[in-house]
Amino acid sequence: MIMDLNQAKYFRFCNYTGRYFCVSCHQNFVSCIPAHIIAKWSFKRLPVSNFARDTLANIEKEPLFNIESLNPTLYTRISEISRVREYRSQLVTMRKYIVTCSRAQSLVDNFNEYGHWTAGDIHVYSLSDFMLVKSGYLSRELKLLVSEAEKHIKTCPVCQGKGFVCEFCQNEDDIIFPFQLTKISQCPDCHCCFHKTCHNNNKCPRCERIKERQQQRLKTVMFSNMNDDL
């Protein structure tokens, strides 16, 4: 766009669209810019056009921004969002126990109230989520929900029956769960859980049993085919 310098005073720059607007379409409303939040965790409010103001207001609560895809370095640079990711990861796993437990209706309601924070992709945020992360509110709320859910799961016989016994130490008094991130390691193939101290990069016993059974079935089939040929 070529602009006569004499006419510049009649136009204003929109920090969201990167374009100039006339003073009627740009009334100097200010807003946080999504790209600035994601790129440099900057919440500085800058002038935007009326169109940008309305657009940002309409998408404010929509979970549209995937941190893992757009800028995963935020997790290493910003401790608050790293904490939120850990809590969300725990809650997504806990949800599987809570929503299938007949004794956890009040917690089910809490999980549903928290919406996408406890379900789906843990890396996806809305603009309002970013604000809540920055203020520390989101991590406090999620930490409380994690604590309540963990307390229920550890004392509920229904949920305990869905936990794991470490196949290395065979300690049946210590039922473990996938959401205990600092305590357990989980097989990426069969998702079986073990104590980190027990696992120590050893092969997964469950996968080894499955592999052994598959090999045994294969040998049986091959032996049977050989007999048929005779």
Side-chain angles (χ1 to χ4, degrees), residues 54-178:
D54 294 340
T55 299
L56 291 171
N58 288 334
I59 67 170
E60 182 181 14
K61 296 186 182 300
E62 295 295 324
L64 301 173
F65 306 99
N66 189 312
I67 294 298
E68 184 71 13
S69 299
L70 297 171
N71 185 12
T73 62
L74 278 181
Y75 288 130
T76 56
R77 291 167 41 215
I78 311 298
S79 59
E80 194 66 26
I81 200 167
S82 179
R83 275 194 294 272
V84 168
R85 176 181 61 172
E86 181 176 326
Y87 294 143
R88 289 183 68 178
S89 178
Q90 288 179 288
L91 289 168
V92 166
T93 305
M94 287 174 163
R95 185 183 182 89
K96 299 172 185 176
Y97 294 88
I98 297 300
V99 299
T100 57
C101 179
S102 58
R103 305 185 179 193
Q105 188 54 52
S106 61
L107 275 173
V108 172
D109 294 339
N110 289 343
F111 270 73
N112 290 336
E113 181 182 347
Y114 280 49
H116 68 275
W117 296 341
T118 65
D121 194 332
I122 65 172
H123 304 295
V124 175
Y125 292 81
S126 67
L127 289 176
S128 62
D129 289 342
F130 287 137
M131 304 292 185
L132 295 176
V133 172
K134 183 177 185 295
S135 69
Y137 173 85
L138 188 53
S139 65
R140 290 193 300 271
E141 289 296 302
L142 296 186
K143 182 180 180 180
L144 180 61
L145 186 57
V146 166
S147 178
E148 292 176 350
E150 186 171 15
K151 181 179 178 181
H152 168 84
I153 293 170
K154 286 185 173 181
T155 57
C156 172
V158 176
C159 294
Q160 284 287 296
K162 301 173 186 175
F164 293 85
V165 173
C166 176
E167 294 204 32
F168 290 102
C169 68
Q170 297 290 325
N171 184 358
E172 296 184 2
D173 293 328
D174 186 16
I175 305 300
I176 53 180
F177 298 89

